[in-house]
Amino acid sequence: MEGHPFEISIYRGVDEPEWVLEIANAKGTSFIPDERFKTDKDALGVALADFENEPIEEFLG
């Protein structure tokens, strides 16, 4: 989001079949949805949609 840096991390454990999405703001506050994803592209799509559809305040923590 313009003027507000965020880091998007998408990862999974060695033995985990599903991907985890983590969004961290500039203060280091992380947001990890309960939802797990079948692919890393699915997780990225949700992150980008959230940035587009949710108020920025949701991510500033």
Side-chain angles (χ1 to χ4, degrees):
M1 294 185 173
E2 193 171 324
H4 299 280
F6 290 91
E7 181 177 321
I8 297 172
S9 299
I10 300 169
Y11 53 89
R12 65 179 176 179
V14 175
D15 297 324
E16 297 295 321
E18 296 181 312
W19 294 86
V20 175
L21 169 64
E22 178 179 5
I23 300 171
N25 64 24
K27 296 178 185 177
T29 304
S30 290
F31 303 90
I32 303 174
D34 292 334
E35 181 180 2
R36 298 298 179 253
F37 305 91
K38 291 186 184 216
T39 69
D40 54 344
K41 290 179 183 179
D42 290 343
L44 181 59
V46 167
L48 296 177
D50 283 350
F51 281 135
E52 205 166 295
N53 298 317
E54 298 294 329
I56 191 169
E57 293 77 20
E58 293 289 321
F59 301 100
L60 295 179

